[in-house]
Amino acid sequence: MRPAWPSHVDRMAPRRRPTGPVVGRQEWLDLLYVHWRVEAELLRPLVPSWLTLDLHDGETWVTLIPFRIRSARPALVPRVAGLDLLETNLRTYVHVAGRPGIYFFSLEASSTLAVMGARVLTGLPYFLARMRMSRRDDGTVDYHLRRLPHGPRFTCAYRAGAHVGPATPGTREFFLLERYLLFVERGPLRLCGPIHHAPLETHRAELLTLEDELSSWAGLTGPELSSVVVHYVPRVGVDFFPFHRVTAVAPDLEAQVPVGAWSVAQRGQH
């Protein structure tokens, strides 16, 4: 039997711009979203117990996202001084007492400075990788990575298609794409990092080839080319806000807790 639909999850609240200062800015370019279903029984042991698996129509999902980053920088640093790099994320969908977000299994990046900075500042599982991205004359994009020094590989080739526009609330696309909170466990700390951006302008995409070792490294069943759901987003500007400490309720009680019971405390408060 599939798990019940989490009807108390507020899908819209995280889209509102967070209060507080912007601490970082980036532009995300050429994002390919590769989604596939993974059984909840396999996923559950791989995600911290204080996070509840988020569901769409009773199913749990995992997503790989290869993309480019332009002008990654602290908020007060000029855009021209930002870092340009490639990044690939492996994530799943979770919520804390009705606040939906994402949990990362891994984040590959082509910049040593970005990897070291992100690990120190956020505790996210970043890894340095050798990466390259190119575009053929017919528009096909080739993307390759290998985690250094001899880690898992990921390669794909795809073509972007017609513009679709922002996902409609309540749809599977909205569930998979419109995520504005990331959760991370850093030692004894449970943290939430809010981001903000305009609704994603999605395009259709055709995934031509796919070879993935990142999923098996994380303990997951990997994607099958014939059954993945694919989206493409050409560009989005992103603002990052300070991480907060999360006070989470026990997972087995979450279904009984109203959305307003979710709380965060500023780092350093008790």
Side-chain angles (χ1 to χ4, degrees):
M1 179 181 297
R2 288 178 176 172
W5 171 265
S7 59
H8 66 294
V9 176
D10 186 343
R11 305 282 174 201
M12 303 303 295
R15 296 184 81 183
R16 294 192 284 270
R17 187 175 182 84
T19 58
V22 174
V23 296
R25 291 193 167 96
Q26 298 179 4
E27 289 180 85
W28 296 346
L29 305 169
D30 295 316
L31 299 105
L32 179 71
Y33 291 80
V34 181
H35 318 277
W36 70 100
R37 300 170 185 83
V38 173
E39 292 296 324
E41 291 78 8
L42 175 62
L43 199 55
R44 181 64 272 179
L46 304 177
V47 176
S49 60
W50 58 278
L51 297 170
T52 298
L53 299 181
D54 203 357
L55 312 173
H56 184 270
D57 285 348
E59 295 178 320
T60 46
W61 290 77
V62 169
T63 300
L64 268 166
I65 312 169
F67 66 111
R68 294 192 292 133
I69 295 177
R70 184 166 63 193
S71 299
R73 63 203 187 276
L76 298 180
V77 171
R79 184 177 181 278
V80 295
L83 284 175
D84 296 343
L85 62 144
L86 298 177
E87 184 166 313
T88 297
N89 300 338
L90 177 61
R91 74 187 197 185
T92 194
Y93 301 89
V94 297
H95 70 88
V96 175
R99 300 285 283 190
I102 55 178
Y103 174 77
F104 289 108
F105 297 107
S106 64
L107 306 95
E108 318 293 320
S110 61
S111 164
T112 301
L113 181 60
V115 169
M116 293 177 61
R119 278 186 168 268
V120 169
L121 294 174
T122 69
L124 287 167
Y126 267 88
F127 297 92
L128 183 63
R130 184 189 307 113
M131 306 169 75
R132 69 181 187 273
M133 182 179 185
S134 60
R135 193 181 303 271
R136 306 179 204 171
D137 292 341
D138 66 355
T140 299
V141 174
D142 294 295
Y143 197 105
H144 303 266
L145 78 80
R146 181 167 189 177
R147 184 182 299 169
L148 296 174
H150 305 294
R153 303 172 186 263
F154 171 82
T155 68
C156 71
Y158 69 91
R159 278 196 293 265
H163 177 253
V164 176
T168 302
T171 63
R172 181 179 66 184
E173 285 68 29
F174 190 93
F175 171 90
L176 293 170
L177 295 169
E178 291 295 313
R179 296 280 163 158
Y180 297 84
L181 301 174
L182 62 93
F183 297 105
V184 60
E185 191 168 67
R186 189 174 190 183
L189 297 179
R190 301 166 175 179
L191 302 175
C192 173
I195 67 170
H196 183 75
H197 55 73
L200 298 177
E201 291 288 342
T202 63
H203 290 237
R204 303 187 194 284
E206 180 184 8
L207 186 59
L208 304 173
T209 63
L210 176 66
E211 297 180 14
D212 164 45
E213 296 176 354
L214 297 173
S215 300
S216 59
W217 173 88
L220 298 161
T221 54
E224 297 288 340
L225 188 60
S226 60
S227 60
V228 294
V229 175
V230 183
H231 300 92
Y232 173 79
V233 175
R235 179 193 175 279
V236 63
V238 184
D239 288 343
F240 292 80
F241 292 80
F243 275 72
H244 297 75
R245 188 178 296 174
V246 176
T247 302
V249 297
D252 60 342
L253 299 178
E254 284 191 339
Q256 305 173 36
V257 178
V259 171
W262 185 85
S263 64
V264 295
Q266 292 287 349
R267 188 181 302 176
Q269 290 182 347
H270 302 279

